[in-house]
């Protein structure tokens, strides 16, 4: 008998995506989709656009008051978003 090396399917998929250079875009997509859940329904309602460039999440908001409030929670939002996708995808959040 021979011994088999058993691996989880998620690990195999992520390894394959990493080899093809698709892991980072997938994680960025998941993080963008997580914005309404992490920021909350009020922030989601006033969010006009969300994008990622150079490990920075750019969020365009239509409410200056909400922009100021979320700016104070910047570090907490970065941590929660990265925790949501279980990877270090962003290092900062900027509000426009």
């Amino acid at each position: 008998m021979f011994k088999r090396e058993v691996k989880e399917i998620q690990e195999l998929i992520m390894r394959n995506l990493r080899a093809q250079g698709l892991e980072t875009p997938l994680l960025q997509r998941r993080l963008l989709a997580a914005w309404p859940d992490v920021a909350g329904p009020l922030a989601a309602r006033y969010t006009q656009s969300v994008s990622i460039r150079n490990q920075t999440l750019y969020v365009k908001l239509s409410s200056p008051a909400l922009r100021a409030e979320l700016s104070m929670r910047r570090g907490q939002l970065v941590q929660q978003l990265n925790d949501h996708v279980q990877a270090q995808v962003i290092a900062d959040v900027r509000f426009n």
Side-chain angles (χ1 to χ4, degrees):
M1 292 218 119
F2 57 93
K3 203 172 197 180
R4 294 183 188 208
E5 187 177 338
V6 179
K7 301 202 182 236
E8 291 185 19
I9 189 85
Q10 180 180 1
E11 180 184 342
L12 295 173
I13 291 172
M14 292 308 286
R15 184 185 304 162
N16 189 19
L17 289 172
R18 191 175 305 117
Q20 295 178 18
L22 299 174
E23 180 183 31
T24 300
L26 176 66
L27 291 172
Q28 289 177 347
R29 191 97 160 125
R30 287 177 51 204
L31 189 130
L32 292 174
W35 171 253
D37 296 332
V38 173
L42 181 66
R45 184 174 29 194
Y46 288 102
T47 299
Q48 294 177 333
S49 67
V50 183
S51 63
I52 298 176
R53 285 189 315 269
N54 299 328
Q55 289 191 329
T56 301
L57 179 68
Y58 292 91
V59 181
K60 186 173 183 180
L61 297 168
S62 61
S63 169
L66 183 61
R67 186 179 314 129
E69 180 184 333
L70 291 177
S71 290
M72 290 186 282
R73 294 181 37 210
R74 176 179 289 158
Q76 181 184 9
L77 287 169
V78 168
Q79 184 65 40
Q80 288 176 335
L81 286 164
N82 284 330
D83 288 348
H84 195 273
V85 296
Q86 299 174 349
Q88 180 68 32
V89 178
I90 60 170
D92 194 16
V93 178
R94 302 264 171 96
F95 299 101
N96 300 333

